[in-house]
Amino acid sequence: MQEQKLINEQLIKNMLWTFLVFAFILVIFDLMIYNQVKNVLYTEIDTQLTSINVNKPISKINPRMIYILRDSQGNVTNKSSIGRIYEEYLVTLNFDKTIVDKIYNINISNEYAYRGITYNVLTNVFTGQTGYLQLLVNVDGEIQTLKNLSTMLFLASIIIIVISIIASYILSRRTLKPIIESWHKQTEFVQNASHELRTPITIIQVKQQLLLQEPDSKIIDKSEDINLVIKESRRLTKLIKELMMLATADSNQLILKKDMVNVDQIISDVVAPYVDFASIENKELKLDLNFGKEYNLDRDKISELLIILLDNAIKYTSNNESILVKTYSKDNRLYIEVNDTGIGISDENKKHIFERFYREDKARSRETGGTGLGLSIAYTIVKLHGGTIKVLNNQPKGTSFVIKI
Ligand code: ADP
């Protein structure tokens, strides 16, 4: 529940950030487009308004432009040439004599938008009388274009923001998924680890308390208890060592010390002591080493990997059964196989055996000193070497571990 709440909070935060970032980018983008279009539209009109030479008679009338001549008081003197437009609209037009040679915006009858300019002109050459020439261009079309543009930009921005929020939600869920999974795994790992550590500690404590309750008894009488304490201490040491190795690998601090090594030699050195051990248990341990080359590996880690697989192979085979360790080269890759004719692993369990603390039979594994970490360490070692490890059925029975590096 708590977890789901945190995930939802994170999702909402991500969506909010996406909204803010996109909204900010889009506002800037919209403003730039709007200003650019506005400039383009008005530059043309402003050039028309400013390119008039007032000292010369106007040679070519611009049909979009209204030419208003005014005397020094500002009264219109060319009403007749302006015609009906003057009667219907321009009568009420305010005129500001002080704004000269500067482009301004003006509304006519509160309905039509114009852009205009006023020039000082000589109205009578003989008397030297001056007046004004006011030029007006209707910009309703431009204003409508800008209105349409802003509506379009607004709608497009809303659509982009909505799409980006949905995309951010989907992407956040995707990126959060592996994090959530590894978080679950981590929590499960910590819970399992504390449980596994607690068991031997409890046994050691209880046994020691019992020993203290009988201080006069002889060691020989209590050898079973003492043995158990020693066994559990060993188990604890093994567990801590394995946990440390996995934690170091998880934090990417485990660095391999790779060298060109004689693979077959390393394997036969590791297997040698197990041959006698296996024969004591009436099991046969055979070698079939055909790699015959040097390969770039971490010698200690590969030995560790083989020990894990051999330990298991011996652990899970019965009397008169056999174990075969093979090496060979295929497609320029090194293959190591550890095959046994033991109890085998069910297909369902095959899917889980590389998981930390996974054991097919917890009680049995515990009895044989197993921690359930062996194969996950083997998996980590192979992965660090850039290889793969697979578990298959051995023929006619048993298990086969195939490593490809
Ligand atoms: P453990 O310390 O319990 O052996 P591992 O990680 O090495 O832990 O192995 C996990 C489980 O995989 C074991 O508990 C056992 O059930 C199964 N397993 C591993 N190797 C073999 C094998 N050679 N034959 C049958 N089962 C095996």
Side-chain angles (χ1 to χ4, degrees), residues 238 242 308-309 312-317 340 342-345 353 355 358-361 365-366 368-376 398-399 401:
K238 184 171 177 241
E242 289 177 344
I308 293 169
L309 298 180
N312 279 345
I314 291 177
K315 227 190 288 178
Y316 299 107
T317 43
D340 67 63
I343 56 168
I345 303 173
I353 55 165
E355 288 170 15
Y358 187 82
R359 282 166 289 183
E360 213 166 359
D361 177 350
S365 158
R366 198 171 194 290
T368 47
T371 55
L373 289 176
L375 286 181
S376 35
T399 314
F401 284 93

Side-chain angles (χ1 to χ4, degrees), residues 228-261:
L228 193 63
V229 168
I230 293 172
K231 197 176 138 209
E232 291 301 324
S233 308
R234 276 206 198 109
R235 186 179 160 74
L236 210 54
T237 315
K238 184 171 177 241
L239 248 170
I240 291 169
K241 214 178 116 209
E242 289 177 344
L243 285 172
M244 286 290 287
M245 143 92 191
L246 287 171
T248 329
D250 282 351
S251 57
N252 287 332
Q253 283 171 2
L254 192 81
I255 298 155
L256 293 181
K257 290 187 209 115
K258 279 190 179 179
D259 258 325
M260 288 308 280
V261 291

Side-chain angles (χ1 to χ4, degrees), residues 98-332:
T98 55
I99 308 171
V100 184
D101 295 337
K102 228 193 270 167
I103 289 170
Y104 49 81
N105 291 315
I106 195 162
N107 267 327
I108 296 179
S109 306
N110 279 333
E111 222 180 311
Y112 303 103
Y114 280 79
R115 206 155 163 84
I117 192 163
T118 307
Y119 295 108
N120 269 319
V121 286
L122 200 62
T123 48
N124 193 325
V125 201
F126 305 109
T127 57
Q129 231 177 349
T130 59
Y132 304 95
L133 171 65
Q134 186 181 21
L135 304 174
L136 296 176
V137 176
N138 184 282
V139 285
D140 285 331
E142 282 74 6
I143 287 178
Q144 194 53 45
T145 309
L146 287 175
K147 264 189 196 159
N148 290 346
L149 177 72
S150 30
T151 318
M152 207 191 74
L153 286 176
F154 180 73
L155 289 177
S157 304
I158 297 277
I159 292 170
I160 292 174
I161 287 177
V162 170
I163 292 174
S164 66
I165 288 178
I166 296 171
S168 128
Y169 179 80
I170 295 168
L171 288 177
S172 306
R173 275 197 79 100
R174 276 190 163 202
T175 30
L176 279 178
K177 212 176 154 203
I179 299 172
I180 295 163
E181 272 171 18
S182 76
W183 182 7
H184 281 160
K185 273 194 187 160
Q186 200 64 25
T187 323
E188 202 185 298
F189 178 61
V190 172
Q191 278 168 357
N192 281 333
S194 22
H195 176 78
E196 292 295 329
L197 289 169
R198 210 182 310 128
T199 317
I201 290 173
T202 314
I203 296 172
I204 293 169
Q205 271 177 350
V206 171
K207 288 292 167 197
Q208 284 181 335
Q209 265 164 7
L210 283 176
L211 286 177
L212 271 181
Q213 278 169 13
E214 296 170 53
D216 296 331
S217 57
K218 290 187 178 144
I219 288 180
I220 187 105
D221 301 331
K222 294 290 168 194
S223 63
E224 210 175 291
D225 289 344
I226 296 169
N227 255 336
L228 193 63
V229 168
I230 293 172
K231 197 176 138 209
E232 291 301 324
S233 308
R234 276 206 198 109
R235 186 179 160 74
L236 210 54
T237 315
K238 184 171 177 241
L239 248 170
I240 291 169
K241 214 178 116 209
E242 289 177 344
L243 285 172
M244 286 290 287
M245 143 92 191
L246 287 171
T248 329
D250 282 351
S251 57
N252 287 332
Q253 283 171 2
L254 192 81
I255 298 155
L256 293 181
K257 290 187 209 115
K258 279 190 179 179
D259 258 325
M260 288 308 280
V261 291
N262 184 332
V263 181
D264 292 344
Q265 186 60 52
I266 291 180
I267 292 186
S268 82
D269 288 350
V270 174
V271 174
Y274 282 89
V275 177
D276 295 336
F277 182 64
S279 76
I280 294 170
E281 293 198 356
N282 276 332
K283 296 170 190 173
E284 194 185 9
L285 176 49
K286 288 180 290 183
L287 283 174
D288 180 13
L289 307 176
N290 292 306
F291 185 65
K293 286 186 274 188
E294 293 206 323
Y295 210 60
N296 199 21
L297 299 172
D298 182 320
R299 174 192 295 267
D300 294 341
K301 291 282 172 286
I302 291 297
S303 306
E304 205 175 320
L305 162 72
L306 215 71
I307 290 171
I308 293 169
L309 298 180
L310 277 174
D311 267 342
N312 279 345
I314 291 177
K315 227 190 288 178
Y316 299 107
T317 43
S318 315
N319 286 354
N320 300 321
E321 288 185 332
S322 63
I323 299 145
L324 171 66
V325 180
K326 279 168 76 171
T327 61
Y328 53 92
S329 163
K330 203 167 105 185
D331 303 330
N332 268 332

